[in-house]
Each structure stands twice: as C-alpha cells, then as structure tokens.
Amino acid sequence: MAGVFESVEKTTPASGFVYLPYMTNGLARREGLLEDDIVGSRDPGDPDLDNPVCDGDIAIPIDVDATGFWLKALLGDPTTSEATGVYSHVFRSGAWSLPSMSLERQVPDVPSFEMFSGARANRLQIEMQRGGRLNGTVGVIAQGAATPTPATAAGTPGSFGEVPSRFMQREGVAKIDGAAAANVVGLSFEYNNNLDPVETITGDGFIGGLDPMRSACSGTMRLRFFSETLFAAAKAGTAQAISLEWTKSARASLVLALGRVKLSVPGRPIEGPGGIEAEFQWMAGREADGDPMLTATLVNEVETY
C-alpha cells in the first residue's frame, strides 16, 4: 500500500507517495445489491447494484517512523521541533479539519492497482500487554475508489525504511499521574474521530465528504488487585492523568498522554485460587483549562510528515 496526503480533497496527487507497512488490509470498495421491488410475477427481476461503500480496517505495526503518517491522518498536522537531528512531533486532538489521503492497494503480480481517494482515518486502536510486538488497527473511510487498473498511479513511492523499526511491548509502560502503574496486566486504547459520511447526491459514486463529529477516547485497564487506591479514586470520580509510553532510545519514542481520565468502578470477582483481577473501563475528556484530550508525541529522525 502506498499513501499520500491530498492538497485538494478527493484529487490524487501525481507524486509524493510513500509505502506504508501493514499486516492486514481490509480497505475495500463494496457494492451491495438492491432486490427487485416490482410486483406482477412470482419470480423477481434482476437486482441492481447500490452505491459503493469504501472503508475497512488496516492492521499496522506501531513503528518509529511510519506511525507519524497515521497520527497526522488521525489528529492533523503536528507541531515539530528539532535538536541535533532528532525531531519531536507533537499531535493534538480537537482539530475540526483533518487531512484527506489517497491510498493505493497494489497487487503487482496480477497486476491490479486500486486507488482510494478522499480517505480519512476514523479511529486508532492499540492493545498494551507484557510481551510481543506493538501493533495497532486503523479504521479508514474513503469517499470513493477508482476502478482497478493494471498500472500504478502512485509513481515511485518513497519509503520510511526497508525494515520498519518497530516498538516492542516490553519497551512500554503505563503511567498514572506520572508514576508507573503497578500491577497492570493489560490495557486497551481507542481514539475515534466519529466521522460522519455526508450522503449527498453526487452522481459519481463518491460521498460528499466526511465530517468529524465529537471525538472519543476510551478503553479498558486490567489490574491485579493489590490496593484500594485506584478503586477509591474511581468511586470519588477523581480524574487521573494517564500516559502510555514506549521508548527505544533517546532518538525513538512514542507517548500517548491523556490529561483527564475517569474510571468506572469494577467488580472484583474471585475466580479461583489465583490472584484477583479487576477490569476498569476508562474515558478521557478535555482538560479543565481547555487543553486537548489527547497529546501524542513521536520522537524520531523524520524531518516532516
């Protein structure tokens, strides 16, 4: 898959594409069938194709470089600063205007090249655990897709590197109010733009646009029960600052910071002779001073996105 940000929405640029690593790619154009509704015969007539729907989930590695492409798609342009060849890209939630993309699915052995345009990132999901590689799922909605062709329209794409430098789960830590959270067994994170398709009558198979509605950031946090502290905070409705951090080196790190998070009050079932675990539901909101709900900071050697 190759991708590029569009300067004019739904208009595919002639250059600037970059290869985007992924594990699975569910982005596809689908057209359903409309059943014949004319009466007069027991057997129906031919069905008709309905308008196309272009969306799907893409499973991606959370890596040092290419992740910035998806964070920009999800949250908008970052604020970037540089020090001795190391760049800190700070992405913030809350933007009303999000960039659109052209994404090309490439199957050169067929050959088949399918271009999706006017695409936007709707959501990002990440699961945090003790071991393994750090992966994510990006939900993408496109406004339309061209008929597949035997030749690419992406030119010669650039690359974020031959082999992605992936973050590992063992490099991660979850912090609550600035301190490493003890006894966290697993944590899920989801940011959702809640994009609303604009179903205008266009005559070309495209939808009219994708409007971002109120965003949401939520998930679960599973803890081995050893203290009443977090339960007491949840019962009192006390907001917590939570950050998810992965660090490879001083030149490669990712931080997802949520300044104001409230927790549900979970039960504590005893399921056998082992330890007691409890699963908190959490939801984030904007901070009291108006600061954004989510701040994502990616440090790497990529100059710009």
Side-chain angles (χ1 to χ4, degrees):
M1 181 171 62
V4 65
F5 289 104
E6 299 170 342
S7 55
V8 178
E9 188 174 9
K10 295 190 289 189
T11 300
T12 298
S15 61
F17 281 84
V18 63
Y19 282 120
L20 298 169
Y22 67 87
M23 286 83 71
T24 63
N25 189 339
L27 180 60
R29 170 178 173 149
R30 297 177 298 278
E31 297 181 51
L33 291 171
L34 296 172
E35 184 179 348
D36 175 42
D37 59 357
I38 298 176
V39 299
S41 172
R42 186 161 182 268
D43 291 333
D46 290 340
D48 294 301
L49 287 172
D50 201 358
N51 269 325
V53 175
C54 303
D55 60 12
D57 289 343
I58 304 171
I60 62 169
I62 303 298
D63 71 351
V64 175
D65 298 328
T67 298
F69 182 96
W70 294 112
L71 288 175
K72 177 178 176 176
L74 193 77
L75 301 171
D77 288 318
T79 300
T80 299
S81 58
E82 184 264 343
T84 63
V86 179
Y87 298 87
S88 179
H89 309 279
V90 181
F91 304 83
R92 296 178 175 88
S93 63
W96 283 103
S97 179
L98 299 175
S100 64
M101 306 172 283
S102 288
L103 300 171
E104 186 179 70
R105 281 174 51 122
Q106 302 181 344
V107 190
D109 288 347
V110 173
S112 175
F113 297 86
E114 186 176 16
M115 184 69 73
F116 296 84
S117 56
R120 285 195 167 92
N122 188 34
R123 68 181 183 279
L124 172 65
Q125 299 169 314
I126 295 175
E127 295 288 335
M128 197 175 194
Q129 57 193 28
R130 183 172 180 270
R133 298 183 179 94
L134 183 64
N135 299 321
T137 300
V138 179
V140 174
I141 304 174
Q143 295 180 49
T147 301
T149 64
T152 179
T156 303
S159 174
F160 286 110
E162 290 296 323
V163 179
S165 179
R166 301 175 69 166
F167 288 107
M168 304 298 291
Q169 293 281 10
R170 61 182 173 82
E171 298 165 341
V173 61
K175 293 183 178 180
I176 298 178
D177 289 336
N183 285 30
V184 175
V185 177
L187 190 148
S188 70
F189 166 94
E190 178 176 318
Y191 179 87
N192 199 322
N193 276 316
N194 288 310
L195 296 177
D196 182 30
V198 182
E199 302 282 358
T200 52
I201 302 170
T202 59
D204 59 4
F206 283 84
I207 58 176
L210 291 164
D211 289 344
M213 297 292 101
R214 175 168 287 180
S215 59
C217 194
S218 61
T220 62
M221 181 166 53
R222 191 166 185 84
L223 272 71
R224 180 64 64 97
F225 178 46
F226 76 105
S227 166
E228 289 283 354
T229 302
L230 210 55
F231 289 89
K235 290 175 183 176
T238 304
Q240 313 283 320
I242 292 180
S243 64
L244 313 180
E245 305 179 9
W246 297 270
T247 303
K248 294 187 80 67
S249 69
R251 305 176 72 89
S253 63
L254 173 64
V255 176
L256 302 177
L258 301 155
R260 190 171 180 83
V261 174
K262 290 198 174 184
L263 306 171
S264 67
V265 181
R268 287 166 279 185
I270 299 173
E271 298 174 336
I276 301 173
E277 293 184 357
E279 184 170 280
F280 293 82
Q281 307 289 325
W282 60 264
M283 291 185 183
R286 68 179 182 275
E287 298 195 51
D289 59 2
D291 281 352
M293 173 172 64
L294 169 65
T295 301
T297 303
L298 180 64
V299 175
N300 57 27
E301 297 180 8
V302 177
E303 185 174 353
T304 186
Y305 286 98

